[in-house]
Amino acid sequence: MAHLSTKTYGNERGLSCTSRQWAADSDCHLLHGYSFGFHFVFAAEQLDKRGWVLDFGKGGFGHIRDWLHEMFDHTLLVAEDDPERAALEALGERGIARVRIVSGTSCERMAEMTFHKADEILQRLTGGRCWVESVECSEHGSNSAIYRSAKAVARLAEAEALATRL
């Protein structure tokens, strides 16, 4: 059985960014902003020397927190396939915006991108001892999306199967 721990980095933290859903048939095709919040589920079969899945301070989650701020704090997220990408990137070139090019600007894509980056960071920091089980990204209290990889689901199932054999 794997140990799980959670960390919420909520909407109140002020990760205010702007984006648009260029293909939407609603006002979401216009530039608009959110203060994204994130809920992480971390897993490990073996706890660290302190008995933790993950250090939530500078040595562990702090690396993820730094990336969250770099990616989402007062930034303009632009989908790589946005037909107005050049115009939006020009805002960055003029010093009007901190532009981040992303695969997509939906909450689902933000959860997926954050999952992969957080897992990459944890693999490096813990040598694979700890992994990301899921990431939930919320635009506000009413809308969120969760990304959970098949690999994470398989690792948890494998850990649970191992525990039942013991």
Side-chain angles (χ1 to χ4, degrees), residues 20 78-90 99 101:
R20 74 186 203 114
V78 178
E80 59 191 10
D81 64 347
D82 190 319
E84 296 297 330
R85 178 177 169 173
L88 296 168
E89 282 183 303
V99 178
I101 305 302

Side-chain angles (χ1 to χ4, degrees), residues 11-164:
N11 303 88
E12 74 282 354
R13 297 287 184 134
L15 294 177
S16 302
C17 59
T18 300
S19 65
R20 74 186 203 114
Q21 292 284 345
W22 68 265
D25 294 327
S26 65
D27 284 344
C28 289
H29 79 279
L30 301 171
L31 288 173
H32 60 286
Y34 292 111
S35 179
F36 281 137
F38 295 91
H39 179 76
F40 296 85
V41 178
F42 302 108
E45 293 174 23
Q46 300 294 320
L47 300 175
D48 71 8
K49 64 184 178 185
R50 297 159 292 206
W52 298 343
V53 170
L54 178 64
D55 173 3
F56 288 147
K58 291 182 182 181
F61 186 79
H63 294 267
I64 296 169
R65 181 185 58 241
D66 292 346
W67 179 82
L68 290 171
H69 281 268
E70 177 65 26
M71 194 68 200
F72 300 112
D73 188 21
H74 291 81
T75 59
L76 171 58
L77 306 176
V78 178
E80 59 191 10
D81 64 347
D82 190 319
E84 296 297 330
R85 178 177 169 173
L88 296 168
E89 282 183 303
L91 297 174
E93 293 162 9
R94 294 182 62 196
I96 296 171
R98 284 189 220 131
V99 178
R100 305 289 184 262
I101 305 302
V102 295
S103 62
T105 56
S106 66
C107 207
E108 291 82 354
R109 289 289 187 207
M110 295 301 105
E112 179 182 10
M113 177 180 66
T114 302
F115 174 97
H116 288 298
K117 186 62 178 184
D119 198 53
E120 173 190 311
I121 291 169
L122 289 188
Q123 294 306 306
R124 179 176 41 82
L125 290 175
T126 70
R129 181 190 61 78
C130 179
W131 66 91
V132 179
E133 197 273 335
S134 65
V135 172
E136 180 176 8
C137 174
S138 60
E139 297 171 332
H140 47 70
S142 298
N143 296 344
S144 70
I146 298 172
Y147 183 82
R148 179 179 292 150
S149 77
K151 180 180 175 184
V153 172
R155 284 181 85 169
L156 283 172
E158 186 178 309
E160 289 176 3
L162 179 63
T164 60

